Amino acid sequence: MDFRDVSLTSLRVFRAVAEQGTFTAAAAELGYTQSAVSRQIASIERAAGAELLERRRDGARVTTAGRIVLQRATTVLDEIDAAARELTGLPARAGTVRVGWFPIAGAVLGPRALTALRRSDPALTVVTREAGTPALVRALRAGSLDLAVLALAPPFRPPDAESPALVLRTLTERSLCVAVPAADPLARGSFVDVADLRGRRWIAGSATAGDGLMGVWPGLDEKPEIAHTARDWLSKLHLVAAGCGLTTVPAVLATVAPAGVRVLPVRGGPREQRRVLLARLPQPLPEAAARVAAALHRAALDTDVAL
Amino acid sequence: MDFRDVSLTSLRVFRAVAEQGTFTAAAAELGYTQSAVSRQIASIERAAGAELLERRRDGARVTTAGRIVLQRATTVLDEIDAAARELTGLPARAGTVRVGWFPIAGAVLGPRALTALRRSDPALTVVTREAGTPALVRALRAGSLDLAVLALAPPFRPPDAESPALVLRTLTERSLCVAVPAADPLARGSFVDVADLRGRRWIAGSATAGDGLMGVWPGLDEKPEIAHTARDWLSKLHLVAAGCGLTTVPAVLATVAPAGVRVLPVRGGPREQRRVLLARLPQPLPEAAARVAAALHRAALDTDVAL
DNA sequence: ATGTGCTATGCGTGAACGTCATGGACTTCC
DNA sequence: GGAAGTCCATGACGTTCACGCATAGCACAT
């Protein structure tokens, strides 16, 4: 069996798995069953004569041979899509930039950058997508994103150890804050002391996150009491406003917090920095994408100044 | 039906038809039946929602929509091939240049250029192919050749009217000659008068070529007597040496004509010029291909000087 | 008229690709 | 320790699709 005999379907399936990280998720995205995905992957691996995905308990990771195929597969699939667009008479997607960002970037940074772009480059079309950092990184590597805005906690390791390494540029860096009900005594000051965070009830991001519960101030010497869990920032903020508990938030959220919520820095503990990065593949960036990257940088700077 | 649902097979078949010029020839090249080719083309046209090939009595011509698809298809198929090579551990085909030339170029110009290249750029690999001008042009457009050496007779129209137009550079230009048996009285002089060509027996290229029998001096005012037909130059020259007749040859052949044959210019009639061109697509040429092109130019110059 | 190039199409067969259902390996929670 | 959850793999099955064969249609040549 020769790799030249692969089907476009198997390339598409492979890209989806590379992007989603698991067969099951890829199947859901494609409207297939997991079984079909498994077979397609088996088929493309047979054609390639090598293992393209390393099966792990938590999903699949692209191998070295897989990277070779992924690289080619994306340009092949993009080319097919471009042909499809050209044939239907649509103009080429030259001015469309695909950006992914982690959830909170969509609240402040994204809208600012897009507003600025709409004035400065009205011809540009930007398509955005919200996802977690691992998903964004996979999407970048799978070629379905041009740019990704990632959040990193200390230690600021690169988001993956794959090669080639992603190109990372820091957009902004700021301390983690806590969101406090305006009615709470803590809200009287302009900052919160870490000691005052003991014994409080917390609103966590998920019921059971692996390392360091998201939403709870890290490094507390007690087992925190999780009163609520919510993934959505709007929900979390309104839970705080309702006095249901505290939660950690990035400082940028101060500008968009609803009434009844104060966002305050924390003093006393080790500095809890969060770094926001713009990531891309180490390939030459299309002109349009470079403009969007620049707009994101400007928006980050403006936000820094405003705070 | 969406163009994204095309199969790689149909792309390959389409490329083959574009290159061969007929369904039947493409089928032969691919090891398919003509029936299969017809169906694959129907399938890809259904997917594209447009006619990609214009059916004519003498075969098929690529339409405007077809050019769009052909363009994309070649890069897609090349990409797949590249992936296949990478997977089998072979080095990328970065240094391989595919050159096509019309038959006579393989006798003098090609060998000279290749010998020079072997000394100057030993790392380069050149793959060559011999074919007629129309086939070469189609192969260029289908992306299966990087360079093509074409022969043009007056009036020197571009070899096809497709767009984008091919980039043409003249390698050399010289007069048509006649090959005369050394024993023939005509061979005594250093040239032949056109009047002396009347009543001679000729060795033609093919039994019945459409316009202007190849091998017979053009513009004679009588119906020429075709004594033999031969496509192969070596055969033709030896038929001449055996005194079986005359035939027209490009002047370059003088340097490689066997004993018993003299190659002489013709005086008296209108000048019969033949132009040798180097053709390529109007796309940026890979580094390696540019070197081969340069070598061909040098070889053409050297040949000019030598004569 | 007959022959020779083209391409299109009806028909039958076999392979390929989906779904469904099941199973094995492993982790997490109670 | 057992149950329930996460992965992925695989046997059974139906349907679709792409091939070859044979034949038809068409335009042009001799």
Side-chain angles (χ1 to χ4, degrees):
Chain A
M1 180 102 180
D2 190 338
F3 184 74
R4 273 172 285 252
D5 299 334
V6 287
S7 68
L8 283 179
T9 308
S10 69
L11 292 182
R12 247 185 286 267
V13 170
F14 177 63
R15 181 177 63 172
V17 172
E19 184 171 333
Q20 297 292 329
T22 77
F23 285 28
T24 313
E29 181 195 331
L30 296 169
Y32 287 172
T33 50
Q34 174 269 114
S35 159
V37 170
S38 174
R39 286 174 199 284
Q40 287 289 352
I41 297 298
S43 138
I44 193 178
E45 283 184 327
R46 191 164 3 103
E51 191 180 53
L52 303 183
L53 292 166
E54 179 196 345
R55 276 71 159 177
R56 322 177 64 190
R57 21 195 131 292
D58 59 341
R61 250 187 70 229
V62 179
T63 65
T64 308
R67 272 197 295 279
I68 294 176
V69 173
L70 183 55
Q71 178 87 5
R72 305 290 183 173
T74 56
T75 83
V76 163
L77 295 172
D78 286 354
E79 205 70 13
I80 297 281
D81 284 1
R85 261 191 304 275
E86 267 186 282
L87 282 171
T88 53
L90 295 178
R93 189 195 64 83
T96 301
V97 182
R98 301 158 302 171
V99 182
W101 49 46
F102 64 98
I104 199 56
V108 181
L109 181 66
R112 279 176 193 253
L114 291 183
T115 319
L117 270 175
R118 201 162 29 234
R119 253 186 328 205
S120 63
D121 295 87
L124 276 185
T125 310
V126 180
V127 179
T128 75
R129 189 158 116 200
E130 181 177 304
T133 297
L136 292 174
V137 170
R138 283 193 303 262
L140 263 186
R141 293 206 176 272
S144 59
L145 283 183
D146 299 306
L147 298 170
V149 180
L150 311 176
L152 238 59
F156 303 111
R157 293 193 218 288
D160 72 359
E162 307 292 328
S163 92
L166 297 175
V167 174
L168 302 171
R169 284 186 60 191
T170 301
L171 282 180
T172 179
E173 183 164 345
R174 67 184 49 264
S175 310
L176 198 60
C177 295
V178 285
V180 180
D184 193 286
L186 279 183
R188 286 195 207 123
S190 62
F191 64 89
V192 174
D193 191 278
V194 69
D196 296 332
L197 295 179
R198 293 199 43 142
R200 306 293 307 232
R201 313 182 75 207
W202 293 94
I203 303 167
S206 61
T208 164
D211 48 346
L213 279 178
M214 192 101 78
V216 180
W217 191 259
L220 292 182
D221 56 357
E222 58 175 1
K223 186 176 180 200
E225 180 187 357
I226 310 289
H228 306 276
T229 64
R231 303 198 66 91
D232 183 71
W233 287 98
L234 196 61
S235 314
K236 286 169 105 173
L237 288 173
H238 279 97
L239 285 171
V240 171
C244 302
L246 311 183
T247 195
T248 60
V249 295
V252 267
L253 271 200
T255 60
V256 294
V261 176
R262 290 208 61 194
V263 173
L264 299 172
V266 178
R267 292 211 185 151
R271 293 264 299 290
E272 288 295 336
Q273 302 266 63
R274 293 296 181 268
R275 194 174 281 177
V276 178
L277 301 170
L278 184 61
R280 62 175 178 90
L281 286 179
Q283 295 169 359
L285 209 54
E287 159 69 10
R291 296 209 186 168
V292 174
L296 284 164
H297 275 105
R298 277 195 301 272
L301 273 180
D302 291 353
T303 314
D304 282 354
V305 169
L307 286 182
Chain B
M1 179 101 181
D2 189 340
F3 185 74
R4 274 171 287 249
D5 300 333
V6 287
S7 68
L8 283 179
T9 307
S10 68
L11 292 181
R12 246 185 287 267
V13 170
F14 177 62
R15 180 177 64 170
V17 172
E19 185 172 334
Q20 296 292 330
T22 78
F23 286 28
T24 312
E29 181 195 332
L30 296 169
Y32 287 172
T33 52
Q34 173 269 112
S35 158
V37 170
S38 173
R39 286 170 199 284
Q40 287 291 353
I41 297 299
S43 140
I44 193 176
E45 284 185 327
R46 192 166 359 106
E51 190 181 55
L52 304 183
L53 292 166
E54 179 196 345
R55 274 71 159 177
R56 321 177 64 190
R57 43 184 135 292
D58 58 341
R61 252 188 68 230
V62 178
T63 65
T64 308
R67 272 197 295 279
I68 295 177
V69 172
L70 183 55
Q71 177 89 3
R72 305 291 182 174
T74 56
T75 84
V76 163
L77 295 172
D78 285 354
E79 205 70 13
I80 297 281
D81 284 0
R85 261 191 305 275
E86 268 187 283
L87 283 171
T88 52
L90 294 178
R93 190 193 65 82
T96 300
V97 181
R98 300 159 301 171
V99 181
W101 49 45
F102 64 97
I104 199 57
V108 180
L109 181 65
R112 277 176 195 254
L114 292 183
T115 316
L117 270 175
R118 202 162 28 234
R119 251 187 329 207
S120 63
D121 295 86
L124 277 184
T125 310
V126 180
V127 178
T128 74
R129 190 158 116 200
E130 182 178 305
T133 297
L136 292 174
V137 170
R138 284 193 303 261
L140 263 185
R141 295 209 174 270
S144 59
L145 283 183
D146 301 305
L147 298 170
V149 179
L150 311 177
L152 238 59
F156 303 111
R157 293 194 217 289
D160 72 358
E162 309 291 327
S163 92
L166 297 175
V167 174
L168 302 171
R169 285 186 60 192
T170 301
L171 283 179
T172 178
E173 184 164 346
R174 69 184 47 264
S175 310
L176 198 61
C177 295
V178 285
V180 181
D184 193 285
L186 280 184
R188 288 195 207 120
S190 64
F191 64 91
V192 173
D193 192 278
V194 68
D196 296 332
L197 295 178
R198 293 199 41 148
R200 306 292 307 230
R201 315 183 73 208
W202 293 94
I203 303 167
S206 60
T208 164
D211 48 347
L213 279 178
M214 190 102 78
V216 179
W217 192 260
L220 291 182
D221 56 356
E222 59 176 359
K223 185 174 181 203
E225 180 187 356
I226 311 286
H228 307 276
T229 64
R231 303 197 68 88
D232 182 71
W233 285 99
L234 195 60
S235 313
K236 287 169 106 172
L237 288 173
H238 278 97
L239 285 171
V240 172
C244 302
L246 311 184
T247 194
T248 61
V249 295
V252 267
L253 272 198
T255 60
V256 294
V261 176
R262 289 208 63 191
V263 173
L264 299 172
V266 177
R267 292 210 184 148
R271 293 263 301 287
E272 287 295 335
Q273 302 265 65
R274 293 297 181 269
R275 195 175 280 177
V276 178
L277 301 170
L278 184 60
R280 61 175 180 90
L281 287 179
Q283 294 169 358
L285 209 54
E287 159 69 10
R291 295 208 185 170
V292 175
L296 283 165
H297 275 103
R298 276 196 302 272
L301 273 181
D302 291 352
T303 313
D304 282 354
V305 169
L307 286 181

